[in-house]
Amino acid sequence: MICFAAAICVPTLAHHSTNGIYNEDELVELTGMVIEWRFVNPHPSLLLEVTAADGSLQEWDVSYGGAAVTHLRRRGYTPDTFAPGDVITVTGFAALVDSAY
């Protein structure tokens, strides 16, 4: 599984630092099919199936970082925002290692 932090416009109010977890020097854009939308605290996340350049399928875990459910609700997200099978594009920072958490 590959970990990825979605870049969304919310203040960073995390209770811990992400220094050294994500490569913040390079934004990555992914397009993939939603496998699961986990709208739970402390960090909502998406599980995406992404087709790599070589045609293989990869699972990417897209974390919403310091954004708790309360912050995402204020921005219009709900438990039904994403459904399995939806194809979406996300932009963010890839983890420096596969198992950042």
Side-chain angles (χ1 to χ4, degrees):
M1 182 181 307
I2 299 170
C3 190
F4 184 79
I8 56 175
C9 297
V10 295
T12 303
L13 302 173
H15 53 274
H16 53 85
S17 172
T18 59
N19 291 343
I21 295 175
Y22 300 105
N23 177 2
E24 296 180 8
D25 294 328
E26 181 182 353
L27 278 174
V28 176
E29 183 176 280
L30 295 174
T31 298
M33 183 181 65
V34 174
I35 296 171
E36 183 180 9
W37 167 227
R38 298 176 289 237
F39 195 64
V40 297
N41 284 319
H43 306 289
S45 64
L46 285 160
L47 186 60
L48 294 181
E49 182 178 80
V50 176
T51 303
D54 67 3
S56 65
L57 294 178
Q58 299 177 339
E59 285 188 0
W60 284 71
D61 190 1
V62 179
S63 171
Y64 277 76
V69 167
T70 304
H71 300 113
L72 292 181
R73 280 192 192 279
R74 290 182 194 141
R75 285 159 181 79
Y77 288 81
T78 71
D80 300 319
T81 297
F82 305 107
D86 289 351
V87 175
I88 64 169
T89 299
V90 296
T91 303
F93 303 111
L96 294 171
V97 294
D98 287 345
S99 57
Y101 290 101

